[in-house]
Amino acid sequence: MGDNMKKTSKFKIDKNILLCIIAFFLISIFSINSAQKLLPDYLDNLVFKQILWYGLGFLIAFFIMYIGNDYIYKHVWFLYGTGILLLIALLIFAEPINNAKCWFSIPGIGVFQPSEFMKIILIITIGTLIHNFNEKYPNPNIKEEFLFLLKIGLVVLIPSILTFLQPDTGVVLIYLVITIIMLFISGIRYRWFILLFALSFVLIAIILLIYFLNSNLFVDIFGTSFFLRIDRLLDWSSSSGYQLENGLAAIGSGGIIGHGFNNTPIYFPEPQTDFIFAVYANNTGFIGTILLLSLFAFFDIKLILLATKTNSNINKYIIGGIIGMLIYQQFQNIGMTIGLMPITGITLPFISYGGSSLLSYMIMLGIIFNVSNEILRYKN
């Protein structure tokens, strides 16, 4: 009777994960409010909008809990097709913003970025493919694994090309990170990864060789846009650039305890999105920075433990993809802010301003809550 009562309770949310999200929300609002002083007057409502995005995000997360993960997994190809159509529509119909077609402009609301949602769609699609493959082939041979990898490659290649053409190299890198991590935990032979890294190394070496030896030939083959993106990626090693130098100065000037709330004396571009970590570190100093990094680590560890506890293989794969994506974005965003990684425009999950990115994370949160709900309901 007791066990049945446990099973019939509708929702049980992991309180530690929920508390982390609430803490991220408070830090996000705190940091965006401080960033407002560095932004033009027409961007004076970002705090209010971020609160609305978080509110809408929680509604979406609970809606996903209501419909369940199985419903989403069942309709994954509809989601994938919708994501691809939106990426195609961007290239055809979207108005360029900063020479990029990454967003649909929605009057009165802001911009909508389909590639942010494509990340979670790709995680669900790859997770479903891995699950189905392992169910059909418990002990696959080389040929079966090769055909499976070709299918995964095609599924990832289509959105990668469409996103690259926008251009948005940062999100393409996220697609690739997601794919590699999910394949790594799928159980396929590790020799495929050796082959993949070897081919990638050769391809990158050829591209860089042409770039350094004959820039005109590089532009003829790959185009001016790709040349400029390579140029930007390589510039980070010199730790030069107005944005990076001022961001580092802001972080360094924070000292031990920071300049305090709503006080960011040094200007640098994109303080509300790409360089939100610099704003937070400037305001809270070394102590606040350590607390934020600890919070990220605690949240990531909770997700890893969640993946190890679930009995559903498809949930393991999808949670693994989410973890890989979040950790990569944390390292990439903070790393580029302090000059250790190239500046790629990747935002800090749950902290940076942005409706599309935040709503995509809250969709992931709904999936995570469903997995934790299942574990907690059937826990003895």
Side-chain angles (χ1 to χ4, degrees), residues 175-311:
Y175 293 162
L176 298 179
V177 168
I178 288 169
T179 305
I180 291 171
I181 289 174
M182 295 186 72
L183 286 175
F184 189 80
I185 64 176
S186 69
I188 64 171
R189 293 171 175 85
Y190 290 151
R191 70 185 66 178
W192 295 113
F193 295 98
I194 298 173
L195 179 62
L196 174 64
F197 288 129
L199 291 174
S200 299
F201 177 80
V202 171
L203 179 61
I204 292 172
I206 292 172
I207 291 174
L208 291 179
L209 193 63
I210 299 173
Y211 172 85
F212 285 115
L213 295 181
N214 194 330
S215 58
N216 291 329
L217 177 62
F218 187 96
V219 171
D220 290 339
I221 296 173
F222 301 106
T224 305
S225 176
F226 190 45
F227 178 85
L228 294 174
R229 276 182 270 180
I230 294 292
D231 193 52
R232 183 182 179 188
L233 283 173
L234 295 177
D235 272 350
W236 70 275
S237 58
S238 63
S239 296
S240 63
Y242 176 74
Q243 185 180 29
L244 178 58
E245 289 176 357
N246 281 25
L248 286 171
I251 294 171
S253 70
I256 300 297
I257 59 174
H259 291 285
F261 174 69
N262 203 22
N263 187 10
T264 308
I266 301 175
Y267 172 78
F268 45 89
E270 304 299 333
Q272 80 284 19
T273 52
D274 300 355
F275 271 61
I276 194 74
F277 179 77
V279 175
Y280 175 82
N282 177 267
N283 290 173
T284 64
F286 178 76
I287 294 176
T289 300
I290 293 299
L291 290 175
L292 177 59
L293 295 178
S294 299
L295 181 63
F296 275 131
F298 178 76
F299 180 69
D300 295 339
I301 291 170
K302 289 298 296 182
L303 295 188
I304 292 171
L305 292 175
L306 187 68
T308 61
K309 289 178 181 178
T310 179
N311 293 321

